[in-house]
Amino acid sequence: MTRNGRTRNSCHLVLTAIGVVVLTATGCGAGEPGAAGSGGQADAVDGSITVFAAASLKETFTELAERFEDEYPGTDVTLNFAGSSDLVTQIIEGAPADVLASADTRTMGKLADDGLLAGPAVDLATNILQLAVPPDNPAGIATLADAARSGVKTVVCAAQVPCGTAAAAVEEAAGVDLTPVSEESSVTDVIGKVTSGEADVGLVYVTDVLAAGDAVLGINFPESSSVVNTYPIASLADSGEAATAQAFVDLVTGDEGTAVLQAAGFGAP
Amino acid sequence: MNTAALPRWVVAVAVVGGLFLVLPLVAMALRVDWPRFVPLVTSDSARAALLLSLRTSLSATAVCVVVGVPMALVLARTSFRGQRLVRSLVLLPLVLPPVVGGIALLYTFGRRGLLGSSFSALGIDIAFSTTAVVMSQAFVALPFLVLSLEGALRSVGTRYEAVGATLGAGRWTVLRRITLPLVLPGLVSGAVLSFARALGEFGATLTFAGSLEGTTRTLPLEIYLQRETDPDAAVALSLILVVVAIAVVGVAHRVRPLDRLAVTAAGTPRRRAPEAVR
């Protein structure tokens, strides 16, 4: 390595470059936990919080965050929506979040197991499955059994994601064996296949059908009540704004939050 | 390492850039759960996904060669009004987000798409089939082949073709005996790059073809799904794709070394004729 001066110089350059990268990286990463540790003004409901929420909560949480900011001047809510598993992975990897609202108890359980929650999670809302068909319902779907007919193109979520777990449970409860043409990795992809007319029917949540508006038609089926999906919410242990985070959880789980969620099709917990 | 010709800060920035590209791959390799690696990548769903990926990518590459060679020839050897515009349009899938390509394919070949309803009338159903996967892959991979081959065609020039024609060779003979042998390295490297792009295709497949084990769930889709429940499996499968990608890039560079690419870019139409035409 030290055969001549030029080699040493270039090595030095490389090391400096690595140093710059590492210092920058650790500098970014250290900011949040440091702020959390000091916790001087943690009792006051003000400051900025980041709320991670399941993709299906996008409309309701956007509205609730605005109401929260109006009710508590000086607060600022940043929202991050994604699939629940993605959010949990991000939090475990150190993403700065103060509150998590997840689409099923299993994903929230992962954070509880890792000791990342500030307290026990609270149930926020429930959701049940519905059949989503294109507005003209080309395959004439009326019941869950219709979705299992041969020749009907049925799309569900894959078993690895919450809506797929629910779909599999409903199939079992109803004694219906669906042979889907596709097992999508998100509700959005299922709805997309239905709105574009590629699929005859998709199995998604009531709230997803409502959110899709006129693009799809929702059909209730009695077996759906056998599988009720529960949305839990919790503030996170690493939050630097514990009081603000708790105030947000209280608003969402209180009367005001329940009203907004039920208007979007969610059930009471 | 000879850095005398450059200011040192240029080298330093280049090194940072290089680390930015390589470090994430190293970080991923460090996360691989080695004791479970073999079981993870040989599970039924992983094998089905890998086999489907190889099968569809090879088919897509074949489609690219069959369609792309004439396209490159037309772009390199003819001139017509609007040629530059046509070339830009052909290269569009290179810069288009793949998911946009998927939506475009859906509105063309989907059941309610521009051509889809005619296909349905003929009893051909593309949606949710392996054909849809191949189409998605070919859509995003085709520009790589056209671009590589057109560059090769321009760099070999038309001198040998003209000589062949004056000696009485017909157009088909010139194409078969002179043009194609001359650009064979460019064709091979273009095909290899197309294969690599097809193998990595994700967005268009997800949007257009769906995701079902053994039919439409290719390796990238399997990785995306495994990540939901078993991140270790996702990382292990990702590493397989990285290894394949490295092998492909190696092959492509061996066929067509970097310095020759540079010559092509500079547009110098001078090159010795290969053995094949002697």
Side-chain angles (χ1 to χ4, degrees), chain A residues 6 9-10 13-14 17-18 20-21 84-86 89 93 106 110 134-136 138 153 155 158-162 180-185 189 192-200, chain B residues 1-4 8-9 11-12 15-16 19 23 31 106-107 109-113 125-128 205-213 216-217 222 224-229 231:
Chain A
R6 183 178 285 155
N9 274 342
S10 47
L13 274 177
V14 173
I18 294 173
V20 168
V21 170
S84 301
S85 319
D86 277 343
T89 309
E93 297 292 331
R106 183 175 55 101
K110 265 191 214 171
D136 56 346
K153 289 192 186 301
V155 176
Q160 284 89 338
V161 290
V181 291
S182 185
E183 295 167 356
E184 306 286 340
S185 43
D189 289 319
K193 298 293 189 295
V194 175
T195 53
S196 64
E198 289 302 289
D200 295 318
Chain B
M1 190 173 175
N2 179 8
T3 59
R8 282 182 192 164
W9 65 268
V11 179
V15 168
V16 172
L19 285 173
L23 216 51
R31 282 291 185 98
L106 193 60
Y107 288 146
F109 299 103
R111 267 211 290 186
R112 298 187 177 182
D125 217 352
I126 297 171
F128 305 116
T205 309
L206 191 69
T207 319
F208 179 52
S211 172
L212 189 68
E213 187 178 314
T216 50
R217 188 175 295 152
E222 173 72 15
Y224 187 63
L225 191 58
Q226 283 296 343
R227 211 183 34 122
E228 296 281 349
T229 47

Side-chain angles (χ1 to χ4, degrees), chain A residues 154-177:
Chain A
T154 305
V155 176
V156 298
C157 289
Q160 284 89 338
V161 290
C163 61
T165 316
V170 160
E171 277 184 70
E172 195 176 343
V176 171
D177 191 16

Side-chain angles (χ1 to χ4, degrees), chain B residues 72-167:
Chain B
L73 284 167
V74 167
L75 284 175
R77 290 290 186 266
T78 67
S79 60
F80 53 89
R81 272 168 68 99
Q83 191 175 22
R84 288 175 67 168
L85 180 68
V86 170
R87 181 180 296 111
S88 313
L89 289 175
V90 167
L91 298 184
L92 206 54
L94 274 182
V95 288
L96 217 53
V99 65
V100 176
I103 292 173
L105 284 170
L106 193 60
Y107 288 146
T108 314
F109 299 103
R111 267 211 290 186
R112 298 187 177 182
L114 205 58
L115 303 176
S117 38
S118 325
F119 280 125
S120 293
L122 294 170
I124 303 169
D125 217 352
I126 297 171
F128 305 116
S129 69
T130 307
T131 312
V133 177
V134 175
M135 287 171 72
S136 309
Q137 293 175 338
F139 184 80
V140 296
L142 191 53
F144 282 88
L145 190 119
V146 176
L147 192 70
S148 286
L149 191 57
E150 198 204 342
L153 281 164
R154 288 186 181 280
S155 74
V156 298
T158 56
R159 213 147 50 99
Y160 295 104
E161 293 168 15
V163 170
T166 54
L167 293 177

Side-chain angles (χ1 to χ4, degrees), chain B residues 173-275:
Chain B
T173 310
V174 169
L175 183 64
R176 192 165 47 92
R177 299 287 299 276
I178 300 176
T179 314
L180 290 181
L182 272 173
V183 296
L184 196 61
L187 178 60
V188 172
S189 79
V192 170
L193 286 174
S194 297
F195 175 78
R197 182 66 190 86
L199 201 61
E201 212 307 303
F202 172 74
T205 309
L206 191 69
T207 319
F208 179 52
S211 172
L212 189 68
E213 187 178 314
T215 309
T216 50
R217 188 175 295 152
T218 55
L219 202 49
L221 269 70
E222 173 72 15
I223 291 171
Y224 187 63
L225 191 58
Q226 283 296 343
R227 211 183 34 122
E228 296 281 349
T229 47
D230 192 353
D232 287 341
V235 170
L237 291 173
S238 303
L239 195 70
I240 299 264
L241 271 189
V242 170
V243 170
V244 173
I246 289 171
V248 161
V249 170
V251 169
H253 273 183
R254 187 172 289 267
V255 173
R256 199 172 176 212
L258 273 181
D259 55 344
R260 201 179 299 159
L261 276 174
V263 171
T264 309
T268 315
R270 201 156 291 167
R271 208 181 130 212
R272 267 169 44 105
E275 316 296 322

